[in-house]
């Protein structure tokens, strides 16, 4: 019989989940006391965020624990990356029914640990409670040089709107997960990896802030929604050019099978965790050197909202993933 | 008809909950972007914790929102206080069903805001998701002078075990909440306040660390359980003296009505959020000056476990609140 967490008890569970972590610089008092004590690099400021995942909302109980853990931390890291920061220290809250399998949670912490090592994040504490469904929350501290933060409100009329890499891979992966295209397709493993183990753009975010970029957002909810956030915060409009939006080649193959437009994956799919950012045209020659994978996808204009320019002209697009809208509940 | 959060949508809800906050020093980029940017006092280290509250586990749906919000932040502040730190910046995660009343959540944020003002904590971000029950999580950053942290593992044989103030008030309040004693008793409002709006001992924690205290724990799960954590972490035993444990006078009155021993409230009740700490006997004269409300309740000895010394001799006591034990699920 597989072990449930109520068989272990709270302290046994914590022991089963927290393995020996590699040494991370700056951890003065690790997990295990009332609070952790950590230290960021002298002269830096703190970048601070939190992000949760809830069973049946963000993942199904049948999901691989490793994927849930990896993505939970990755989504937090992406928020730090979008500010231009470097992620450092995380605390995790775990709520779960007593019947939850210990092994599944160990998988979650294994995926989390992989992401920690990949991005240099130390897990330094947490809280645990029973509850009706599995809910996981991470709060993450990063560091950033004073004045270097990239904010949504800093887009300027005339700026170029760019993305760090091809989009739509995660949405294509979701088509495989939900059975809309056959799981046996040769490209399926690629888009599944994009969906389950997104790699946030920390290096790219830091390169952008060094370049002088002042405005960025991470693509968690689709390019259209993220561009709209920038437009609204900056009091400008953004015009995206359909043929300039880079689509993940594997996503294009998936879209052929599903009969969908892969541009829709990029605009509305979300969870690609690339960055969308705005820079003055004068910075473009430098951008090409520093981030050769980046693409210009549009321009910042006077006005409001986001529009999509295609051969048939410009049309407004408006969408946002909303956790409490009627269709969603 | 009262408004439910699904009528507002995620962004409308966030707008309804986040009011104009007073200005807090150190907030460079407030809530509203991918992450917040904050700054602690130069030369200080970061103290970092998180603590959650789950509907039907930590509170009932019928609880006053103000109390839930206040206590959620207070319990986090208490963890910072127990390290000797000063609380600074919080992020909050809210998970709730779409049918949750907006007004109730506004009350939660009102209680939270009161606690923020009282303790100088800035709320700088959060995440929101739907879910099957209400779950609230706060992560909290504080600051502490390097090397000043009070750790559970630092108790030394020969130390005096002390508490910052009288215990049992919160457990007595719970007796009123659960109807074990009449709600109309004159002392009821006092113990209800102790239960619903505990005041964590931040000033006391900082005074202790200045005094040279190296070992403390906050009393969230009862004195017996917190003393045991110190004993286990330090590899020592702790002997508590029953008649030296200060009992909240209002709790004694409640205990008379319920026919219980008020010492049980202090030892096993929890949620008093006083501090238990260990100091060398040579510090006692200073302690009395600095924290006149503190009491010596026992001593640190060789061995293991926690025992209670009474007129009939010493007996071992062992207990810990456990979120996943069988009786609890």
């Amino acid at each position: 019989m597989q072990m449930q967490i109520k068989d272990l008890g709270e302290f046994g569970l914590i022991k089963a989940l927290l393995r020996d972590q590699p040494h991370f610089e700056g951890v003065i008092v690790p997990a295990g006391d009332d609070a952790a004590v950590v230290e960021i690099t002298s002269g830096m400021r703190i970048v601070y965020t939190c992000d949760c995942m809830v069973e049946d909302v963000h993942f199904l109980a049948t999901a691989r624990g490793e994927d849930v853990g990896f993505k939970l931390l990755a989504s937090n890291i992406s928020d730090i990356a979008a500010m231009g920061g470097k992620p450092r220290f995380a605390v995790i809250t775990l709520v779960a029914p007593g019947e939850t399998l210990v092994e599944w949670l160990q998988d979650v912490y294994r995926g989390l640990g992989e992401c920690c090592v990949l991005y240099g994040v130390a897990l330094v504490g947490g809280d645990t409670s029973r509850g009706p469904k599995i809910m996981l929350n991470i709060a993450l501290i990063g560091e950033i040089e004073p004045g270097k933060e990239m904010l949504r409100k800093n887009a300027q009329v005339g700026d170029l709107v760019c993305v760090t890499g091809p989009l739509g891979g995660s949405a294509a992966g979701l088509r495989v997960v939900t059975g809309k295209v056959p799981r046996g397709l040769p490209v399926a493993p690629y888009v599944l990896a994009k969906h389950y183990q997104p790699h946030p753009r920390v290096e790219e975010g830091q390169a952008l802030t060094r370049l002088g970029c002042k405005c960025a957002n991470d693509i968690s909810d689709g390019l259209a929604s993220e561009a709209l956030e920038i437009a609204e915060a900056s009091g400008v409009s953004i015009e995206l050019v359909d043929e300039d939006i880079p689509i993940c080649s594997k996503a294009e193959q998936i879209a052929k099978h599903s009969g969908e437009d892969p541009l829709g994956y990029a605009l509305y799919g979300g969870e690609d965790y690339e960055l969308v950012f705005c820079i003055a045209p004068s910075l473009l020659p430098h951008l090409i050197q520093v981030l050769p994978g980046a693409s210009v996808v549009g321009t910042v204009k006077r006005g409001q909202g986001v529009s999509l320019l295609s051969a048939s002209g410009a049309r407004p697009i408006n969408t946002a993933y909303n956790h409490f809208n009627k269709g969603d509940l």
Side-chain angles (χ1 to χ4, degrees), chain A:
Chain A
M1 198 187 120
Q2 288 184 290
M3 190 170 282
Q4 299 178 340
I5 58 177
K6 66 181 174 184
D7 303 322
L8 275 184
E10 186 173 3
F11 301 110
L13 174 65
I14 292 170
K15 214 169 157 185
L17 295 179
L18 282 186
R19 286 135 188 280
D20 289 338
Q21 279 205 81
H23 173 75
F24 287 101
E25 213 183 327
V27 180
I28 313 296
V29 177
D33 216 297
D34 292 299
V37 179
V38 298
E39 197 169 54
I40 60 169
T41 307
S42 173
M44 298 293 230
R45 283 176 176 160
I46 299 165
V47 195
Y48 192 17
T49 189
C50 64
D51 219 3
C52 72
M53 287 176 71
V54 180
E55 186 183 339
D56 295 339
V57 180
H58 301 89
F59 64 91
L60 297 174
T62 52
R64 271 168 33 104
E66 286 94 333
D67 295 334
V68 172
F70 191 98
K71 197 165 180 173
L72 173 67
L73 182 55
S75 66
N76 275 282
I77 291 175
S78 185
D79 282 327
I80 302 287
M83 301 294 285
K86 181 183 171 185
R88 296 294 308 272
F89 309 107
V91 291
I92 182 168
T93 298
L94 162 65
V95 175
E99 295 71 28
T100 307
L101 296 180
V102 173
E103 204 181 341
W104 190 85
L105 286 178
Q106 285 178 320
D107 288 346
V108 170
Y109 277 67
R110 192 173 300 122
L112 191 59
E114 276 170 28
C115 195
C116 278
V117 169
L118 209 53
Y119 286 91
V121 171
L123 184 63
V124 296
D127 190 25
T128 309
S129 173
R130 67 191 166 93
K133 291 277 179 183
I134 296 167
M135 287 179 268
L136 292 152
N137 185 75
I138 278 184
L140 182 61
I141 288 176
E143 62 184 42
I144 193 165
E145 206 179 309
K148 288 287 189 188
E149 60 274 1
M150 301 187 288
L151 305 182
R152 293 177 189 158
K153 70 174 183 188
N154 287 344
Q156 303 277 338
V157 172
D159 277 355
L160 302 173
V161 181
C162 311
V163 295
T164 48
L167 306 177
S170 179
L174 190 61
R175 296 303 181 281
V176 179
V177 174
T178 55
K180 294 223 167 92
V181 297
R183 192 170 276 268
L185 288 178
V187 297
Y190 294 92
V191 292
L192 283 173
K194 283 276 183 192
H195 182 70
Y196 282 128
Q197 306 208 336
H199 281 211
R201 300 308 179 194
V202 173
E203 297 287 341
E204 291 79 353
Q206 294 192 275
L208 286 171
T209 190
R210 281 193 299 268
L211 194 68
C213 175
K214 294 288 176 200
C215 174
N217 204 356
D218 70 319
I219 304 180
S220 51
D221 296 337
L223 177 59
S225 161
E226 308 301 346
L228 185 61
E229 281 184 355
I230 290 176
E232 288 182 346
S234 299
V236 298
S237 78
I238 285 179
E239 186 177 75
L240 301 172
V241 181
D242 68 351
E243 64 181 16
D244 292 343
I245 296 171
I247 310 289
C248 164
S249 62
K250 306 289 193 293
E252 283 178 341
Q253 294 182 50
I254 294 290
K256 271 181 203 163
H257 282 272
S258 75
E260 294 168 300
D261 180 358
L263 186 64
Y265 295 176
L267 286 172
Y268 312 112
E271 298 200 335
D272 284 315
Y273 295 112
E274 297 288 345
L275 302 178
V276 50
F277 56 96
C278 301
I279 56 165
S282 62
L283 290 178
L284 189 58
H286 306 290
L287 177 70
I288 293 166
Q289 303 289 329
V290 174
L291 293 182
S295 304
V296 178
V297 297
T299 47
V300 177
K301 302 195 161 189
R302 286 181 210 286
Q304 56 184 21
V306 175
S307 61
L308 184 68
L309 185 66
S310 62
S312 58
R315 63 179 172 86
I317 49 175
N318 270 296
T319 184
Y321 186 75
N322 180 328
H323 270 294
F324 292 109
N325 65 16
K326 288 173 188 172
D328 199 38
L329 288 163

